[in-house]
Amino acid sequence: MELCVALDLPTKQENLDLIHKIKDYDVWLKVGLRTFIRDGEDFLLEIKQINPDFKIFLDLKLYDIPNTMADAAESIMGLGVDMFNVHASAGKRAMSEVMKRLELYSSRPIVLAVTALTSFSEDEFVAVYEKGINDKADQFAIDAHESGLDGVVCSAFESDSIKGVTSNEFMTLTPGIRPFGEDAGDQKRVANVEFAKKAQVDFIVVGRPIYQAKNPVEVIENILKKL
């Protein structure tokens, strides 16, 4: 299991300050929608300048018509990131088009599909998708697996089941991790590190418990010890 640190701070400089503090640790860095819209490709280059070994997860959750998603995925290839994601609800044809386009390259990033956002409660999810989280997450995972993707984004509570309906090699990345029982904030389906390990999670994403801490490095060290 690997740790992915979310760079969700309000300003570019605050994110850079955090990166400098943790530059000697073997962690992934997650660049989300707000950060990428604000700071763009230059920010990704600055990350690699601080430590070329940092692996970057570009968390944009692509969702559009199949050709547009494939075009966007091809553009992402030029950014030098190591992982990105799409929405599974865009459908199998869209996910397959993305993977087909990436076949043009000798190497590519890891590609994941978002199943159920961890901010959803069961009732909220059913109101949108007309099916329960567990069942729909499994189906989204099967669709992603059959479309050639590498894994899915889900909560730790769906990880075991998803691997059961796909394969143990099919990756799961789980946001909403509160490593030491911190406040859930705007997340509904949160878990700690021990639960994620038992659920065979491959990547855990941790944001606020790290960057809101007085000593982010200490928090990262304690998480890595648990991993």
Side-chain angles (χ1 to χ4, degrees):
M1 189 161 65
E2 298 188 60
L3 171 62
C4 187
V5 179
L7 301 175
D8 293 332
L9 285 155
T11 67
K12 177 181 177 181
Q13 190 56 53
E14 287 174 280
N15 278 330
L16 288 173
D17 289 344
L18 175 62
I19 295 167
H20 278 288
K21 289 177 183 176
I22 65 176
K23 65 184 175 69
D24 295 325
Y25 292 88
D26 183 17
V27 296
W28 285 68
L29 300 179
K30 182 181 82 71
V31 176
L33 193 59
R34 176 176 73 162
T35 297
F36 187 72
I37 288 173
R38 184 187 63 216
D39 303 323
E41 182 179 359
D42 288 346
F43 180 63
L44 304 180
L45 296 173
E46 288 183 68
I47 290 174
K48 293 290 189 177
Q49 288 169 356
I50 294 171
N51 182 350
D53 293 329
F54 271 138
K55 291 183 178 180
I56 299 174
F57 167 33
L58 187 60
D59 179 25
L60 302 183
K61 304 179 180 71
L62 304 183
Y63 191 165
D64 212 302
I65 64 173
N67 189 64
T68 299
M69 286 178 62
D71 287 344
E74 191 168 12
S75 294
I76 286 172
M77 288 294 299
L79 299 177
V81 301
D82 304 281
M83 180 160 61
F84 72 94
N85 56 3
V86 304
H87 262 290
S89 53
K92 291 180 71 173
R93 184 160 63 91
M95 290 189 284
S96 296
E97 284 292 320
V98 166
M99 301 313 293
K100 183 178 179 181
R101 187 72 63 87
L102 297 184
E103 287 176 2
L104 300 173
Y105 298 86
S106 58
S107 63
R108 62 167 177 80
I110 294 169
V111 185
L112 306 178
V114 176
T115 56
L117 297 172
T118 50
S119 58
F120 271 123
S121 68
E122 182 76 11
D123 290 344
E124 290 169 337
F125 187 85
V126 170
V128 176
Y129 292 98
E130 300 180 346
K131 203 169 186 178
I133 290 173
N134 288 338
D135 290 341
K136 195 65 177 177
D138 279 355
Q139 185 57 60
F140 278 149
I142 291 169
D143 290 347
H145 186 251
E146 291 178 351
S147 301
L149 276 72
D150 303 297
V152 293
V153 180
C154 61
S155 86
F157 300 100
E158 294 96 55
S159 178
D160 251 338
S161 179
I162 284 171
K163 286 181 180 284
V165 298
T166 56
S167 79
N168 283 334
E169 287 70 43
F170 194 62
M171 300 176 185
T172 56
L173 176 146
T174 62
I177 296 296
R178 297 296 183 261
F180 309 109
E182 296 89 345
D183 182 71
D186 59 351
Q187 301 280 25
K188 297 291 175 63
R189 301 184 335 277
V190 302
N192 59 27
V193 175
E194 286 82 1
F195 188 95
K197 287 175 72 173
K198 290 177 182 177
Q200 305 181 71
V201 170
D202 297 282
F203 299 92
I204 59 168
V205 179
V206 184
R208 279 165 280 195
I210 291 174
Y211 62 70
Q212 290 182 348
K214 291 182 179 178
N215 189 340
V217 169
E218 184 179 13
V219 176
I220 286 177
E221 287 178 346
N222 288 335
I223 294 172
L224 292 176
K225 286 176 186 176
K226 285 180 172 287
L227 301 189

